[in-house]
Amino acid sequence: RTLLADQGHDFKQLTAKELARAIAAAKIRPNVIYYDACLMNTIEYQFELKDLTDYIVASTYAVPGPGGLYDALVDCLSGAANDLDYALEKYIEYAAKNWDRYFPKDFQLYSDITVTTTAKLDHLGVMMRQFTERLCNTYQNGTDEQRQRIDEVTRHAVKVSDDVPSYDIAKYISSMMRALPEVYDKEFYNMFADSFN
């Protein structure tokens, strides 16, 4: 749950809730919150900040040593000052392409960067709740065969790290919906995909 940890002085930690409180207490509302750190593009962090900004820019996986490429960010923002959507889209495209150059070709580490429009997160939250309610109901009240399929998908979920229970939620949900077409019909699948996109 820690966003930042002091690893040398007093070992205190800054949590997502503390960051949200600090931003809420500020005299300004930022248009964009940009995490220049690995593993920050999680649904939990997004929902924590969704009412405090219009956009969240973050990486789901690894951010290489050079980090944010701020010259490019400033160039993109100044080149499209009246179109923040376009500026951020151009920036993340540039950053992802350039980050790939910092990893050796045979080094299997994935880097990405995403722009999330926070105004649309509430709809995603509604769909995630419906997904979860159906999944829990099926596991508790469904057949043994359905429980086996749920266990199989969960066992093979893509993890960010083998050391922590952190799953790529989009892949997990889409895999689960494919495994349980009697629970998640095509209409639900499409509605969920639209909310995620």
Side-chain angles (χ1 to χ4, degrees), residues 69-142:
L69 304 172
Y70 291 106
D71 289 349
L73 179 58
V74 170
D75 288 346
C76 289
L77 290 172
S78 60
N82 295 325
D83 191 350
L84 194 52
D85 280 326
Y86 179 78
L88 293 173
E89 182 181 322
K90 285 291 147 203
Y91 170 70
I92 66 167
E93 184 180 312
Y94 177 84
K97 284 180 184 173
N98 280 277
W99 284 351
D100 286 343
R101 296 186 309 179
Y102 290 97
F103 298 118
K105 294 281 185 231
D106 59 343
F107 191 63
Q108 294 194 353
L109 187 60
Y110 182 74
S111 61
D112 77 311
I113 187 167
T114 301
V115 175
T116 300
T117 306
T118 58
K120 298 178 181 177
L121 281 173
D122 285 334
H123 180 56
L124 177 61
V126 167
M127 295 305 298
M128 287 184 69
R129 178 173 289 268
Q130 289 179 23
F131 167 83
T132 303
E133 287 171 349
R134 289 185 188 196
L135 182 63
C136 291
N137 183 54
T138 303
Y139 201 84
Q140 292 168 352
N141 303 311

Side-chain angles (χ1 to χ4, degrees), residues 52 110 121 129 143 153 156 169 176:
L52 302 172
Y110 182 74
L121 281 173
R129 178 173 289 268
T143 66
V153 170
H156 292 98
I169 193 77
M176 194 63 74

Side-chain angles (χ1 to χ4, degrees), residues 114-184:
T114 301
V115 175
T116 300
T117 306
T118 58
K120 298 178 181 177
L121 281 173
D122 285 334
H123 180 56
L124 177 61
V126 167
M127 295 305 298
M128 287 184 69
R129 178 173 289 268
Q130 289 179 23
F131 167 83
T132 303
E133 287 171 349
R134 289 185 188 196
L135 182 63
C136 291
N137 183 54
T138 303
Y139 201 84
Q140 292 168 352
N141 303 311
T143 66
D144 287 340
E145 198 254 335
Q146 287 174 318
R147 279 188 285 281
Q148 288 173 352
R149 283 187 269 159
I150 292 170
D151 289 341
E152 185 72 11
V153 170
T154 302
R155 189 169 29 262
H156 292 98
V158 176
K159 293 186 178 182
V160 172
S161 167
D162 288 336
D163 298 332
V164 293
S166 178
Y167 299 99
D168 185 322
I169 193 77
K171 290 179 183 175
Y172 179 74
I173 289 172
S174 62
S175 296
M176 194 63 74
M177 286 195 282
R178 282 194 301 274
L180 297 167
E182 70 279 13
V183 176
Y184 305 106

